[in-house]
Amino acid sequence: MSPSAVPVDDCQPASYEDDSDRPIKRVKLSISNRDGTPELGVEEISQTVPPHPLGIKPSGNAYSSDINIKDACGGFQILPDELVIQVLEYLNASSLVALGATCKALYAFTRAEELWKSLFIEYPLKNFTWKRTWRSTYLNLPSYREAHVSCRNLFSDALYRPYFCTYTSLRPYTTAIPAQNEIQRLTNLTQEEFNSSWLGKPFILTSPVKEWPVYWQWTIDNLLKRYHDTSFRAEAVDWLFHHYISYMRDSSDESPLYLFDSRFVEKMGLTVGRDEEDASYWIPDCFGGDLFNILGDQRPNSRWLIIGPTRSGSTFHKDPNATSAWNAVIQGSKYWIMFPPSKTGELPPGIFLSADQSEITSPLSIAEYLLEFHALARKTPGCKEGICYRGEVLYVPSGWFHLVLNLEDGIAITQNFVPRARLGEVLTFLKDMPEQVSGFKDEVVDPYGLLTQKLREQMPEILEEALKGMELKAKGSKAKWEELTRSEKDEEVLGGGFIFGFGGDEEDDDEIP
């Protein structure tokens, strides 16, 4: 049977045991405004996590219970819960339904939403109606056919934690930002001011986006009316816009699917450019210098429409191809936490990078990261945090790790670019890490060669400047080591006067292009 050829019938509804006797988890949390003062009329809130709909509890509760229904799982009972879920990933929909009918514990495991989300992505349905969960949608299961099976006395962190993360308030992690961490807010910048003083620091501009026509025209409802049947990319699926909005407004995913489309300008018939007739939006003036423009239609993907529900966002990452970026909020607001590149190779708390820097390992969801690592991250030197509100735009310098969380249902436009002073870093990335280069069309087999060729033809002075900087930077570590380890005799011969110390090292590094 093909994966999509599954029976519509679910297990027959069973009586659901009353869980009203279970205490609701409450955690008192202080809430503050951006300046650290208590929010008006709110001294504290109660963070409420409702009982799990199947009655599942964290694994620690097993120590106080005489019954654990996982013992009825046959051979599955000896496997760690995470391994059980991994095994179930190999089953198709029919097999999951059949296995879930054998016992309550396996019913709970086969209900894990990530299993059904993976099936949907691997075998997408062209015509469907979103029914609140991936499982119900994939099985085309109306709510009155949904079984309500109590799985009390099943104790599993693997099943309970995603639910806990989904219903845990994230607001406390985005408030009371320490003054030293706050991303600086500015009204606007000229391109000269940006290049001379702000190239390596994140900041928020409060003025430019408010000039855009789309700032006044776009809401999710307005876009839904106009682009109801337009297909957009949402991570690993291509959905009609009305399908995505249905999902966005009625889903309980721990990590909600994020609409992130690089062809939105063409799909929506937009005009981009301040001087263009009927322009929809334009690049803020200070970000106008983009050396990838020299590639014309061979440039990599550079701009995206972003739409997502509250709690959606992006886990820690750096922007592709060593580019810088700006992110403008049209509707909603976004929380950012960011870390600069480390000269010692240190990474943000909870983040691990493979030896070739091609893979980032971190908690699977934004909520899990904030729960586990936010307190430590906030105290880490160099950490920057801020909230970008409607009509504001945030700048992401090249090489900065950042995590982004939507505090409300939101719309944003983002664009990556190559400032002149960062051309050397981009060329180094394209040359030394070709397997990690992304966004180029298939016919572009040598992005480094293509970019250097175009620059040599049209901007030879800029290319020469960047190549010289790359050479100096490549020699920088060796030269600095030789300088630090010179003997006194060498100094006498060279007319030195060298004193070993660390005082000026970082400043010297900063001066290398």
Side-chain angles (χ1 to χ4, degrees):
M1 181 181 293
S2 67
S4 58
V6 295
V8 173
D9 293 344
D10 192 7
C11 307
Q12 290 299 314
S15 59
Y16 182 67
E17 298 179 36
D18 184 11
D19 270 341
S20 59
D21 59 321
R22 296 203 300 169
I24 293 177
K25 294 180 179 290
R26 297 182 185 276
V27 183
K28 290 185 176 180
L29 301 160
S30 61
I31 298 298
S32 304
N33 291 315
R34 288 208 310 260
D35 60 2
T37 59
E39 184 172 295
L40 183 62
V42 180
E43 296 296 332
E44 59 183 21
I45 65 169
S46 291
Q47 179 175 303
T48 302
V49 179
H52 192 287
L54 299 180
I56 299 169
K57 296 180 180 178
S59 58
N61 289 269
Y63 294 109
S64 60
S65 176
D66 296 328
I67 303 172
N68 190 332
I69 63 174
K70 191 184 176 185
D71 295 339
C73 283
F76 284 101
Q77 68 175 302
I78 65 173
L79 300 179
D81 293 354
E82 292 80 6
L83 185 54
V84 172
I85 295 175
Q86 289 184 32
V87 170
L88 297 184
E89 289 175 355
Y90 290 93
L91 302 183
N92 62 20
S94 298
S95 299
L96 286 174
V97 171
L99 183 63
T102 60
C103 71
K104 289 183 176 181
L106 286 176
Y107 176 78
F109 277 101
T110 59
R111 286 288 297 264
E113 277 288 88
E114 283 302 311
L115 296 173
W116 296 93
K117 181 179 181 179
S118 296
L119 278 173
F120 199 109
I121 291 172
E122 188 172 0
Y123 307 101
L125 305 178
K126 292 184 178 180
N127 298 309
F128 66 93
T129 300
W130 179 256
K131 299 182 183 295
R132 195 168 191 275
T133 69
W134 291 98
R135 183 177 184 272
S136 295
T137 302
Y138 197 89
L139 297 174
N140 193 27
L141 197 65
S143 57
Y144 69 87
R145 297 293 301 275
E146 188 76 67
H148 298 284
V149 177
S150 173
C151 300
R152 293 185 68 178
N153 296 315
L154 177 62
F155 310 99
S156 171
D157 288 339
L159 295 178
Y160 183 80
R161 187 168 183 80
Y163 177 82
F164 177 82
C165 288
T166 298
Y167 289 96
T168 296
S169 173
L170 302 182
R171 191 177 177 193
Y173 302 100
T174 66
T175 55
I177 296 173
Q180 68 272 18
N181 287 18
E182 287 190 343
I183 297 172
Q184 190 156 349
R185 307 174 69 83
L186 308 165
T187 303
N188 207 346
L189 287 175
T190 64
Q191 191 169 344
E192 292 72 21
E193 290 170 332
F194 168 66
N195 288 327
S196 64
S197 304
W198 292 94
L199 193 66
K201 296 178 286 188
F203 57 84
I204 295 172
L205 298 181
T206 61
S207 175
V209 175
K210 295 182 175 70
E211 301 175 1
W212 295 354
V214 296
Y215 169 74
W216 303 99
Q217 298 166 359
W218 280 9
T219 66
I220 290 175
D221 286 333
N222 288 343
L223 293 181
L224 181 59
K225 292 176 182 177
R226 186 167 182 178
Y227 303 104
H228 184 273
D229 292 322
T230 301
S231 177
F232 290 96
R233 187 72 170 176
E235 295 186 25
V237 297
D238 291 290
W239 278 0
L240 298 180
F241 192 57
H242 70 90
H243 283 154
Y244 179 76
I245 298 303
S246 295
Y247 161 84
M248 189 183 91
R249 290 176 168 171
D250 190 19
S251 164
S252 57
D253 278 358
E254 177 190 4
S255 299
L257 204 64
Y258 212 17
L259 190 151
F260 207 82
D261 195 290
S262 64
R263 298 184 59 246
F264 73 100
V265 169
E266 297 80 6
K267 293 177 180 180
M268 302 171 75
L270 306 181
T271 301
V272 181
R274 182 189 292 272
D275 298 326
E276 299 294 327
E277 185 177 355
D278 297 325
S280 302
Y281 75 95
W282 46 84
I283 298 171
D285 293 339
C286 65
F287 306 131
D290 182 4
L291 291 177
F292 263 159
N293 285 335
I294 201 172
L295 299 180
D297 59 5
Q298 291 181 303
R299 71 166 298 152
N301 293 335
S302 61
R303 57 192 180 193
W304 291 266
L305 171 68
I306 307 174
I307 297 178
T310 304
R311 303 175 69 93
S312 63
S314 301
T315 54
F316 269 108
H317 66 285
K318 292 188 289 186
D319 280 298
N321 304 326
T323 56
S324 303
W326 53 264
N327 189 300
V329 178
I330 310 300
Q331 178 180 324
S333 57
K334 295 175 182 286
Y335 166 77
W336 294 73
I337 181 168
M338 313 174 70
F339 293 89
S342 170
K343 295 178 182 178
T344 61
E346 294 180 9
L347 296 169
I351 305 301
F352 302 91
L353 200 60
S354 62
D356 63 357
Q357 301 187 33
S358 62
E359 295 184 7
I360 297 174
T361 302
S362 65
L364 295 179
S365 72
I366 294 172
E368 190 171 2
Y369 183 87
L370 295 178
L371 285 165
E372 294 291 338
F373 296 103
H374 185 264
L376 180 59
R378 176 166 275 182
K379 296 177 182 177
T380 300
C383 175
K384 290 296 179 182
E385 302 175 75
I387 296 177
C388 195
Y389 295 94
R390 178 175 181 264
E392 299 180 343
V393 57
L394 181 139
Y395 167 64
V396 183
S398 171
W400 279 61
F401 276 101
H402 51 282
L403 174 150
V404 191
L405 171 67
N406 278 322
L407 302 179
E408 309 165 69
D409 294 356
I411 305 171
I413 294 174
T414 187
Q415 184 157 331
N416 292 80
F417 67 107
V418 182
R420 176 172 175 169
R422 290 290 183 262
L423 176 60
E425 295 174 9
V426 173
L427 288 172
T428 299
F429 185 90
L430 297 180
K431 180 181 179 181
D432 296 345
M433 299 183 178
E435 70 285 349
Q436 297 178 37
V437 173
S438 62
F440 284 90
K441 297 177 181 178
D442 293 339
E443 58 264 28
V444 179
V445 295
D446 181 13
Y448 173 78
L450 175 65
L451 183 55
T452 53
Q453 175 191 341
K454 294 288 187 181
L455 288 167
R456 188 170 287 110
E457 293 171 355
Q458 302 179 42
M459 301 179 178
E461 293 182 359
I462 292 178
L463 175 62
E464 185 63 26
E465 175 186 273
L467 292 176
K468 185 176 180 180
M470 292 166 62
E471 183 180 357
L472 289 173
K473 194 166 186 180
K475 293 180 178 179
S477 297
K478 181 179 179 181
K480 183 170 289 297
W481 176 251
E482 291 175 349
E483 179 185 355
L484 291 173
T485 55
R486 277 184 198 155
S487 67
E488 292 183 5
K489 184 176 181 180
D490 292 334
E491 291 299 325
E492 292 175 0
V493 172
L494 297 173
F498 168 78
I499 299 176
F500 184 88
F502 297 99
D505 292 352
E506 291 188 3
E507 293 180 4
D508 290 343
D509 283 347
D510 288 341
E511 292 175 359
I512 298 174

